[in-house]
Amino acid sequence: MNNPKQEKGNFMEKNKRETALVTGASRGIGRAVALELARAGYHVVVNYRSHDAKAEETVSLIEAQGGSAEKLRFDVADPGESRQCLDDLIARRPSIDVLVNNAGITADNLFIMMPDEDWNAVIRTTLNGFYNVTQPVIKAMMRARRGSVVSMSSMSALVGNRGQANYSAAKAGLIAASRSLAAEVARLGIRINVIAPGLIRTEMIQEIPPERIRDMVPMRRVGEPEEVAKVVRFLCSSDASYITGQVICVNGGMF
């Protein structure tokens, strides 16, 4: 039988913690970020679209290390669903202190052969998703006059990549939107930054031959999701209190 006093204590402890919302946190970089922010003391809201078991696994990993987390299912590409879920979250949490926009998809193809749906799907998830999630959260941060937003871009946004015109466009748009937003809210104590990872050990690079990676990356290896997550943690901390509107590349020396 559950102990009512213990459950009440756990609930109060969760509500005392600052809150970090991480989109696309069921696996990969998003999961590593969720775990890292939990270690920093945040109550982590694990957003996901469809991988319920993976999201539950992320929550379990956080709790196993003594952290606090919950999962929240919604599709960042759906403005109505995003708004409803975020309004509910904002109403029941004391504040949303950190937002990490990590959710994204790829649909690679040469531009001349790219179907309309592949172009639009990537833009909807990465760029429209930034708007759908960030706008309601930033309003709550403005009321609190504090907060940090970190969005996950890509080296493809900075140098281009054959077969990724849709992905590059979405990730570059995310950088431009973030810089504009940073200028708008800096005076309110809210910081907006972007990370542009290079080749990180996730499902997205599984098909790239190791020898090609060694040729592309001066450090001659792929990065680990945890190496990106630690940069997120820094940007969300008071140690980065004078950093906003910046793009931080985590790429092993790629140019």
Side-chain angles (χ1 to χ4, degrees):
M1 180 180 296
N2 293 333
N3 185 326
K5 289 185 178 180
Q6 183 177 2
E7 289 184 354
K8 183 179 179 180
N10 291 341
F11 175 78
M12 293 178 67
E13 176 61 28
K14 285 183 179 181
N15 273 331
K16 283 194 299 184
R17 297 178 187 235
E18 292 189 338
T19 302
L21 168 62
V22 184
T23 69
S26 64
R27 52 186 176 168
I29 292 174
R31 173 180 283 183
V33 169
L35 286 163
E36 188 68 28
L37 291 178
R39 282 191 286 270
Y42 291 95
H43 172 75
V44 180
V45 181
V46 175
N47 161 258
Y48 67 106
R49 183 184 64 177
S50 57
H51 295 280
D52 188 76
K54 290 290 186 181
E56 185 62 42
E57 190 175 285
T58 300
V59 171
S60 296
L61 288 169
I62 289 171
E63 292 177 343
Q65 66 180 22
S68 169
E70 65 182 277
K71 58 182 184 178
L72 184 62
R73 180 175 184 168
F74 66 89
D75 183 356
V76 301
D78 185 324
E81 185 179 35
S82 298
R83 176 74 62 167
Q84 180 179 345
C85 289
L86 290 169
D87 283 349
D88 290 345
L89 176 64
I90 291 165
R92 63 185 172 80
R93 293 298 303 174
S95 62
I96 306 297
D97 305 279
V98 165
L99 167 63
V100 181
N101 288 303
N102 172 73
I105 61 170
T106 57
D108 296 352
N109 208 335
L110 294 177
F111 183 78
I112 195 68
M113 301 172 62
M114 187 173 291
D116 292 354
E117 180 50 35
D118 285 357
W119 175 273
N120 291 326
V122 172
I123 298 294
R124 277 197 306 268
T125 299
T126 297
L127 191 53
N128 293 0
F130 168 86
Y131 172 82
N132 294 338
V133 176
T134 305
Q135 191 187 60
V137 171
I138 210 75
K139 287 180 179 178
M141 289 181 173
M142 289 173 72
R143 290 192 292 271
R145 299 185 73 85
R146 64 190 177 92
S148 176
V149 178
V150 178
S151 296
M152 212 63 65
S153 183
S154 169
M155 285 302 296
S156 295
L158 303 176
V159 299
N161 197 19
R162 184 176 181 272
Q164 287 195 320
N166 51 358
Y167 187 73
S168 298
K171 293 294 191 179
L174 190 153
I175 289 173
S178 295
R179 283 177 164 161
S180 294
L181 180 57
E184 293 176 9
V185 300
R187 63 186 178 85
L188 299 174
I190 303 167
R191 296 178 295 106
I192 315 291
N193 290 292
V194 178
I195 293 177
L199 297 175
I200 306 298
R201 195 184 306 279
T202 64
E203 294 177 3
M204 292 178 65
I205 69 161
Q206 284 181 343
E207 297 181 5
I208 300 178
E211 60 273 15
R212 186 181 172 202
I213 290 172
R214 287 193 291 271
D215 290 341
M216 294 170 65
V217 183
M219 283 191 170
R220 299 182 64 79
R221 68 172 178 87
V222 298
E224 300 297 335
E226 292 75 15
E227 292 176 298
V228 179
K230 290 180 185 300
V231 180
V232 174
R233 177 177 178 170
F234 166 72
L235 289 174
C236 295
S237 73
S238 59
D239 290 338
S241 58
Y242 201 53
I243 300 175
T244 194
Q246 303 305 305
V247 180
I248 311 297
C249 296
V250 183
N251 62 17
M254 295 173 67
F255 297 99

